[in-house]
């Protein structure tokens, strides 16, 4: 009980310090920033996310993100047994622009602070999806659809060592 009270007090103090802070008795208002809100797919549903850090310098430049080479430290040594879980999840990208939106293998369910999903991580290992015949390309909106297309010989999937920090944004898409 005491621990919960102390935690509550700390949260209130942190929230208060986030809204404004004083420098030599001057009140400095909270500042804001803008980040590009990106669109992706998960199980046929639209998700929105931001990209803040990337382990590959060229990809970081293309996404206007921080170059963070240490993110590669999260990549496990392969081959690894399937039952070994890591902090990384798969994100599928389409480098030849047949598809603009990436596909995420997982998202927190439900989105936001009520999520009980212990498997969600905002760190993603990029898998590149390439259509063997670009004229047959269609929108793939789930990991299952991508794996089915691979089984049908329509696409190839290549694991990279590129790690991205792309938190999924927790808000309703109903506007």
């Amino acid at each position: 009980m005491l621990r919960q009270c102390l935690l509550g007090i700390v949260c209130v103090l942190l929230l208060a310090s986030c809204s404004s802070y004083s420098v030599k008795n001057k009140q400095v208002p909270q500042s804001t920033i803008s980040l590009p809100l990106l669109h992706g797919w998960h199980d046929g549903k639209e998700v929105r996310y931001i990209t803040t850090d990337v382990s590959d310098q060229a990809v970081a430049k293309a996404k206007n993100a921080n170059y963070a080479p240490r993110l590669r430290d999260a990549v496990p040594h392969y081959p690894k047994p399937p039952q070994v879980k890591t902090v990384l999840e798969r994100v599928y990208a389409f480098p030849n622009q047949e598809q603009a939106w990436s596909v995420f293998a997982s998202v927190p369910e439900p989105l936001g602070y009520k999520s009980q999903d212990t498997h969600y991580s905002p760190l993603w290992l990029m898998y590149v999806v390439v259509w063997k015949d670009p004229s047959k390309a269609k929108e793939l909106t789930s990991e299952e659809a991508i794996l089915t297309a691979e089984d049908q010989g329509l696409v190839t999937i290549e694991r990279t060592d590129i790690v991205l920090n792309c938190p999924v944004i927790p808000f309703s898409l109903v506007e």
Side-chain angles (χ1 to χ4, degrees), residues 18-47:
C18 287
S19 62
S20 67
Y21 58 94
S22 63
V23 177
K24 294 187 179 180
N25 297 327
K26 285 187 177 182
Q27 286 292 325
V28 180
Q30 178 180 352
S31 55
T32 60
I33 62 167
S34 296
L35 295 170
L37 189 59
L38 305 168
H39 300 263
W41 293 110
H42 170 69
D43 283 347
K45 296 177 186 162
E46 180 183 353
V47 295

Side-chain angles (χ1 to χ4, degrees), residues 103-158:
V103 176
F104 291 85
S106 69
V107 297
E109 303 249 359
L111 289 174
Y113 71 93
K114 291 183 180 179
S115 176
Q116 298 296 314
D117 188 344
T118 60
H119 298 289
Y120 170 72
S121 170
L123 295 181
W124 307 92
L125 186 59
M126 182 186 292
Y127 284 73
V128 173
V129 180
V130 176
W131 285 90
K132 290 182 179 180
D133 181 353
S135 69
K136 294 183 180 179
K138 62 179 183 175
E139 190 85 2
L140 301 172
T141 63
S142 68
E143 182 178 44
E144 182 180 349
I146 291 171
L147 298 176
T148 298
E150 181 186 40
D151 289 343
Q152 294 171 346
L154 299 172
V155 300
T156 60
I157 302 171
E158 178 185 336

